[in-house]
């Protein structure tokens, strides 16, 4: 899959554009996600440089958007070739995802 030079998403009728440089600049302004004190409502992360960031916070900061849907954030970062993954814990690890295990 080729790396996109730019990607975009729409929220509330406004379209926001992102580049990899915008994401890296946003990461420089944000504190990395803290594994010792994870946010209870943030499960999706992106790797920027050597640090992990919550995808929603990262894309919102980079684009100057107020509220960013997690799916839009994940897809935009993936298109720009940033590794994106979800953190699994608790019953997700012991029993699996209900949608996958029945």
């Amino acid at each position: 899959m080729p790396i996109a030079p730019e990607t975009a998403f729409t929220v509330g009728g406004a379209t926001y554009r992102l580049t990899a440089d915008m994401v890296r600049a946003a990461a420089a302004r944000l504190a990395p996600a803290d594994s010792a004190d994870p946010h209870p409502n943030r499960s999706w992360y992106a790797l920027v440089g050597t640090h992990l960031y919550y995808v929603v916070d990262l894309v919102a900061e980079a684009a100057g958007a107020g509220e960013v849907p997690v799916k839009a954030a994940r897809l935009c970062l993936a298109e720009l070739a940033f590794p994106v993954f979800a953190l699994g814990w608790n019953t997700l690890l012991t029993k699996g995802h209900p949608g996958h295990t029945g």
Side-chain angles (χ1 to χ4, degrees):
M1 176 185 215
I3 298 171
E6 180 180 281
T7 187
F9 64 96
T10 303
V11 177
T15 298
Y16 299 90
R17 300 201 178 285
L18 278 180
T19 65
D21 286 341
M22 292 169 69
V23 172
R24 284 189 280 277
R29 295 188 297 269
L30 292 172
D34 187 352
S35 63
D37 186 26
H39 191 289
N41 297 320
R42 300 283 196 262
S43 297
W44 286 92
Y45 298 84
L47 181 64
V48 180
T50 58
H51 296 288
L52 296 174
Y53 298 88
Y54 298 119
V55 297
V56 171
D57 299 344
L58 184 59
V59 170
E61 177 72 21
E67 198 170 310
V68 179
V70 68
K71 183 176 181 180
R74 304 189 282 112
L75 294 175
C76 284
L77 291 167
E79 284 182 36
L80 295 171
F82 290 100
V84 176
F85 60 95
L87 175 67
W89 69 90
N90 218 357
T91 57
L92 190 60
L93 293 177
T94 59
K95 295 184 179 178
H97 189 286
H100 299 174
T101 59

